[in-house]
Amino acid sequence: MAERYIGLMSGTSMDGIDAVLVVIDGERLKVEAALCHPWPAQAACELHTLCTLGDNEIDRMGVADNLVAREFAAATQALLAKAELEPKDIRAIGSHGQTIRHRPQLGFTLQIGNAALLAALTGIDVIADFRTMDMALGGQGAPLVPAFHQVLFAKPGALRVVLNLGGIANISVLPGQADGVYGFDTGPANTLLDGWYRRHLSHGGNYDAGGKWATSGHTVPPLLDKLLAHPYFAAPAPKSTGREMFTLDWLDGELAGCAYAPVDVQRTLQALTCHSIARQLPAPNEGQTRPELFICGGGAHNAPLLAELATCLPRWRITTTDELGIAPDWVEGAAFAWLAQRFIHRQPGNLPAVTGASRPAVLGALYPAP
């Protein structure tokens, strides 16, 4: 029986709330409508601030928890209006919330976005808190999307990789057989690029649109080698990371005593994203059908970054998830709608080979609409 779900996702970059309406019928999933709801400037500023250590964090987090829920509710209502549907037409919302801490090495992850308030404001059952059960079972709580990618995008006998270029880059490796799927966060993508851009071009928007500023600079090979020496890149999977590790403070430490032009640092950060991904992809076997890399996330719109990635991966065919039937901007939102459907039907949502959990588990918690 076909059911409608809404997935709500705001990632590390905090460039907006992705709201995605899907119809799921068995193993088939179709995106019916989607939109990106912008964060109010003050809200985005407060959320970015909460992601770093500061004063009075508990009170500020409590206020932000409700703020996120209200903006998620506004995104839901706008999506319903766009699709000409009512709350009763939706089986459930899958809400990722907004991550403000991800510290798997300390055994916790924290996403805010008061799910009870979201259910009350929308009149729709909400499934949230997807990551903590995986962590309770010894996993990283991330990434969770490889299970979704396996169901929707895997092709028997073909090596496919789905690369999400969000604030942090993550990959799902789909080797063509059901028991070989794995994935992990490869390291920084937009989080460092956006932060460095905002620092030096404060009146130019929140990010380097189309990678134009980076394109005007030059890669600094000694700096690139230094950044690639970060131990995370060589660490074995399962692994996940966040903006807590790859911060501007970390970058400032790597730049200490150097006098590189800011635009050249930006170009080098682009190269860091591409080279760190390329080094962590599986090596294609000789004689194997050309492997395919399908890109989603905001970075899919950064043509210079994709061109540099192609230079790093000459043996790969590189395209976007448009080719697989879901536009790059909506893949992660659709994934959390799918995870909500898995919860409703009591089916596991994690892949232990990806997260390191001791077993598959149903993920999430139910917040019924009043």
Side-chain angles (χ1 to χ4, degrees):
M1 175 180 167
E3 297 175 313
R4 287 187 173 94
Y5 292 83
I6 289 175
L8 299 174
M9 174 72 191
S10 176
T12 310
S13 297
M14 299 183 200
D15 48 3
I17 301 162
D18 295 334
V20 183
L21 170 65
V22 306
V23 177
I24 302 177
D25 187 359
E27 294 293 303
R28 296 188 298 275
L29 179 148
K30 179 184 177 182
V31 174
E32 274 198 334
L35 57 81
C36 183
H37 177 79
W39 284 109
Q42 186 57 44
C45 181
E46 177 60 19
L47 291 172
H48 279 294
T49 302
L50 267 177
C51 289
T52 57
L53 298 177
D55 295 330
N56 202 25
E57 286 187 319
I58 294 177
D59 280 358
R60 288 169 46 222
M61 184 187 73
V63 171
D65 192 36
N66 290 338
L67 181 154
V68 170
R70 293 184 188 281
E71 292 300 327
F72 273 36
T76 300
Q77 289 154 0
L79 183 63
L80 290 173
K82 181 177 181 178
E84 299 182 337
L85 295 173
E86 299 178 8
K88 65 180 177 60
D89 298 316
I90 309 302
R91 180 64 183 85
I93 292 170
S95 176
H96 171 269
Q98 179 63 61
T99 298
I100 59 171
R101 289 288 193 284
H102 181 65
R103 298 195 185 278
Q105 68 276 17
L106 299 179
F108 80 92
T109 187
L110 181 58
Q111 289 74 41
I112 61 172
N114 189 333
L117 179 57
L118 178 59
L121 291 172
T122 61
I124 302 171
D125 289 354
V126 173
I127 315 300
D129 193 23
F130 287 101
R131 300 190 182 277
T132 52
M133 179 55 73
D134 185 86
M135 297 195 83
L137 294 171
Q140 298 264 322
L144 296 181
V145 292
F148 172 73
H149 293 159
Q150 178 188 24
V151 170
L152 268 292
F153 300 148
K155 180 180 179 181
L159 172 58
R160 288 179 163 181
V161 173
V162 182
L163 167 62
N164 176 55
L165 288 172
I168 296 295
N170 55 70
I171 58 172
S172 300
V173 180
L174 313 173
Q177 61 265 10
D179 60 351
V181 176
Y182 67 93
F184 52 86
D185 293 341
T186 60
N190 296 327
T191 185
L192 284 176
L193 288 165
D194 293 350
W196 188 256
Y197 179 85
R198 285 192 295 266
R199 175 185 287 184
H200 293 280
L201 282 84
S202 58
H203 301 296
N206 290 321
Y207 63 97
D208 183 13
K212 292 179 180 178
W213 188 48
T215 301
S216 65
H218 298 88
T219 300
V220 182
L223 176 59
L224 176 59
D225 291 342
K226 189 176 184 181
L227 299 179
L228 285 168
H230 192 295
Y232 180 83
F233 300 125
K239 61 180 180 179
S240 59
T241 187
R243 57 190 295 161
E244 299 86 359
M245 181 176 292
F246 294 102
T247 65
L248 287 181
D249 286 343
W250 166 73
L251 179 59
D252 288 339
E254 300 299 300
L255 292 171
C258 303
Y260 303 125
V263 69
D264 292 340
V265 174
Q266 184 78 355
R267 181 60 179 269
T268 305
L269 292 176
Q270 176 181 290
L272 172 67
T273 295
C274 296
H275 284 266
S276 60
I277 291 167
R279 291 184 179 191
Q280 296 177 81
L281 289 182
N285 295 325
E286 291 297 331
Q288 185 179 41
T289 302
R290 191 179 186 192
E292 298 175 302
L293 182 65
F294 295 93
I295 298 174
C296 60
H301 304 293
N302 188 332
L305 189 152
L306 300 192
E308 183 159 0
L309 186 60
T311 300
C312 294
L313 295 167
R315 296 180 61 189
W316 289 72
R317 177 175 173 266
I318 299 177
T319 184
T320 74
T321 56
D322 267 320
E323 192 172 306
L324 299 175
I326 303 181
D329 291 331
W330 312 133
V331 172
E332 287 225 320
F336 281 90
W338 180 83
L339 283 167
Q341 189 258 3
R342 301 288 286 187
F343 175 92
I344 292 293
H345 294 280
R346 311 309 294 165
Q347 295 177 303
N350 63 336
L351 290 176
V354 172
T355 66
S358 60
R359 61 177 176 83
V362 176
L363 305 180
L366 170 64
Y367 295 80

